[in-house]
Amino acid sequence: MPFAWDKLIDKAYLNNSLEELGKMPIDTLKGVSKKDADLLQQAFGIKTINDFGSNPYFLAAQAIYRAEMEKEYDAGPPPFWLQKFSELSDDYFVQHPSARFRSAFGGVLYRGRLDNTARVLVVGQDPSTDEAIARRAFVGSAGQRLQKFLNKVGITRSYIIINTFAYSILGQFDSEMRRISLEPTLKNFRENLIDTLIKKNPIQVILTFGAGAKHAMDNWENTQNSKVFNLVHPTAPEATTHPSWNNQLSEIAEFLEADDPNIINMEPYTGKWDKTLHMTNIPRFDLPYDIPFLARNTWY
């Protein structure tokens, strides 16, 4: 038990495990009386520390508090999503018999909102070097092109981005990776994650970028009949990316409630990739507090 926990719970319980503490009554916490615990139970049906920590009203208040206090950076997943992300062990990727996953830097699970406000769900393929450093999905050149695309349809904040594979893959998305993508352990985790995101957020469109993401979503049971748009990956040549994006730009915008209608721009993509025209910085509020200094002029 960490030494600082004597500030949180009564001394009599310091030798209990976390699992045991979670099942104990609220007045196990320092400063909470038996009367306080009884009132919480009467008002909200809260009996245990776990009940208190997972109470939807408490979590809503915490989300508002976090949003106010952490406007400038992403402090990481709240408890519910930490638990959800942990349902697929790192060992799956690290010990995979194919040896097709780069395990040195761990997995990258998301970028964007985990506060039930996302209207766009973006599904990519796998993280690259920039993402491994930032610990967030789609932050490199591909991510900055994606960010500009979202801006063109009026979205500045209301999105959540995940990948088909949490770990970077070795080589291309070939027939072997197609098979791995549909392995029950990975497929069930990914689809449960997608279903939960849709359940908890007012998702209006799902955007896939690249062959890996399209393959994953083609094999997903779309029980909510969510609108899915399959787009060419942002790292592809302009000759394939621009037509794909241009052909679907206006339809995507029609399905969405914009964060900022004033920035909607239906001007089609033309010419070579241009940093000024086709890219925009990753918002600081999408990135962790302690990103490396050298990255600050690269991502935002």
Side-chain angles (χ1 to χ4, degrees):
M1 183 70 65
F3 74 93
W5 283 43
D6 62 359
K7 309 294 184 185
L8 304 179
I9 59 176
D10 290 335
K11 289 182 179 180
Y13 304 103
L14 286 177
N15 292 325
N16 289 86
S17 68
L18 286 174
E19 290 76 14
E20 291 169 335
L21 284 174
K23 298 173 183 177
M24 288 184 172
I26 294 298
D27 53 350
T28 303
L29 298 172
K30 271 196 172 180
V32 179
S33 68
K34 180 66 166 61
K35 181 180 179 181
D36 295 333
D38 290 341
L39 289 172
L40 283 169
Q41 182 174 349
Q42 292 172 23
F44 302 109
I46 293 172
K47 297 180 181 179
T48 68
I49 291 175
N50 280 345
D51 291 341
F52 193 30
S54 60
N55 179 268
Y57 302 110
F58 170 79
L59 293 176
Q62 187 182 58
I64 293 170
Y65 174 77
R66 282 167 58 111
E68 175 62 26
M69 298 300 292
E70 299 160 1
K71 292 176 181 176
E72 299 302 322
Y73 65 93
D74 176 14
F80 174 86
W81 290 107
L82 279 175
Q83 181 177 352
K84 181 61 65 176
F85 289 147
S86 70
E87 290 176 1
L88 181 59
S89 169
D90 287 331
D91 290 343
Y92 170 83
F93 298 99
V94 174
Q95 300 174 8
H96 198 278
S98 70
R100 289 294 302 272
F101 295 104
R102 303 177 191 272
S103 60
F105 296 103
V108 177
L109 293 162
Y110 79 101
R111 175 164 73 84
R113 311 287 74 74
L114 290 174
D115 59 0
N116 305 338
T117 63
R119 293 195 292 277
V120 181
L121 169 58
V122 176
V123 182
Q125 179 172 289
D126 66 313
S128 189
T129 305
D130 287 289
E131 289 73 28
I133 296 171
R135 314 309 307 156
R136 296 295 183 269
F138 266 117
V139 300
S141 59
Q144 291 166 57
R145 290 170 185 168
L146 163 62
Q147 199 71 31
K148 184 69 171 184
F149 184 88
L150 292 173
N151 286 177
K152 283 174 72 69
V153 294
I155 298 298
T156 60
R157 188 181 184 96
S158 302
Y159 51 81
I160 179 65
I161 304 170
I162 63 171
N163 275 317
T164 304
F165 305 103
Y167 276 61
S168 177
I169 67 173
L170 285 162
Q172 300 300 311
F173 184 70
D174 53 20
S175 59
E176 182 180 37
M177 291 311 303
R178 288 174 180 270
R179 178 186 59 76
I180 292 171
S181 178
L182 300 183
E183 288 181 357
T185 299
L186 177 57
K187 184 175 186 289
N188 292 342
F189 167 79
R190 182 178 61 235
E191 294 184 356
N192 179 261
L193 181 62
I194 291 168
D195 291 341
T196 304
L197 285 167
I198 291 172
K199 180 179 179 180
K200 286 187 165 291
N201 292 270
I203 299 294
Q204 295 172 335
V205 299
I206 299 174
L207 309 180
T208 77
F209 287 89
K214 182 179 185 302
H215 177 260
M217 299 306 288
D218 283 348
N219 286 277
W220 163 64
E221 186 178 357
N222 187 355
T223 58
Q224 300 299 314
N225 294 317
S226 300
K227 185 63 178 177
V228 180
F229 294 88
N230 298 308
L231 298 108
V232 172
H233 196 273
T235 57
E238 299 88 344
T240 53
T241 306
H242 289 359
S244 168
W245 292 16
N246 289 337
N247 290 341
Q248 301 180 81
L249 187 63
S250 60
E251 188 178 1
I252 292 170
E254 289 175 6
F255 272 88
L256 281 172
E257 175 189 348
D259 293 329
D260 184 356
N262 295 319
I263 65 171
I264 294 176
N265 178 4
M266 293 294 101
E267 184 176 346
Y269 286 85
T270 59
K272 297 291 185 182
W273 284 121
D274 180 89
K275 187 170 184 178
T276 302
L277 294 176
H278 302 141
M279 299 172 71
T280 194
N281 292 342
I282 305 302
R284 182 65 184 90
F285 53 71
D286 274 6
L287 300 170
Y289 174 77
D290 54 348
I291 60 171
F293 177 79
L294 290 176
R296 297 179 185 180
N297 291 328
T298 303
W299 300 326
Y300 74 94

